Amino acid sequence: AYVRTVVLRNLRGKLRSLHLPLREMAAFEQNRTFYRRPLPYPPAIPFSSAEGKGIFKEAFDKGYMEGYFRLAEQFVTQVEPAFCGLSSLSMVLNALEIDPRRTWKVMPLPQLG
């Protein structure tokens, strides 16, 4: 069997090697990714499911979805799982048409020494 080596960083920051057969490597890599990870159902309802579409239609018919379209136009995928806040912030600020060159608040630099 073919073996693949993976280098991992442990919680203390030290590197270690892991040697796995290819069939075990596929399972290992699948668990390390967020790609197509199933959502806990319920409470998460897939947006494209019949139930999800029904909820969307009901909200749209009641006039609750006006902000959705402005937000959907600005959709940005996050590069890393830890960047979800930055992606969400950029989407919201763009949907609200906030000028990116506008200074919100000037903070004085801390005095060193």
Side-chain angles (χ1 to χ4, degrees):
Y2 294 99
V3 175
R4 185 165 175 197
T5 302
V6 179
V7 177
L8 301 172
R9 188 177 300 276
N10 67 16
L11 294 175
R12 293 187 199 105
K14 294 187 178 184
L15 297 176
R16 68 182 186 106
S17 296
L18 182 63
H19 308 286
L20 293 173
L22 287 181
R23 68 174 179 266
E24 291 178 23
M25 189 67 205
F28 174 78
E29 287 178 345
Q30 183 178 4
N31 293 332
R32 291 192 57 202
T33 181
F34 288 93
Y35 178 72
R36 304 290 298 171
R37 187 174 288 183
L39 296 173
Y41 178 76
I45 299 166
F47 189 60
S48 60
S49 70
E51 187 177 359
K53 290 175 185 177
I55 292 170
F56 183 90
K57 183 180 181 324
E58 179 183 345
F60 181 79
D61 290 345
K62 291 182 178 181
Y64 298 138
M65 299 301 289
E66 292 304 313
Y68 169 79
F69 297 101
R70 291 182 65 189
L71 191 59
E73 288 178 336
Q74 304 300 329
F75 185 79
V76 177
T77 57
Q78 64 196 54
V79 178
E80 294 286 335
F83 293 170
C84 60
L86 295 175
S87 298
S88 300
L89 180 63
S90 67
M91 287 174 56
V92 170
L93 292 176
N94 286 336
L96 293 172
E97 299 177 357
I98 303 295
D99 183 359
R101 293 189 177 103
R102 177 180 159 217
T103 302
W104 287 19
K105 186 174 185 179
V106 177
M107 300 291 291
L109 294 174
Q111 298 297 320
L112 301 175

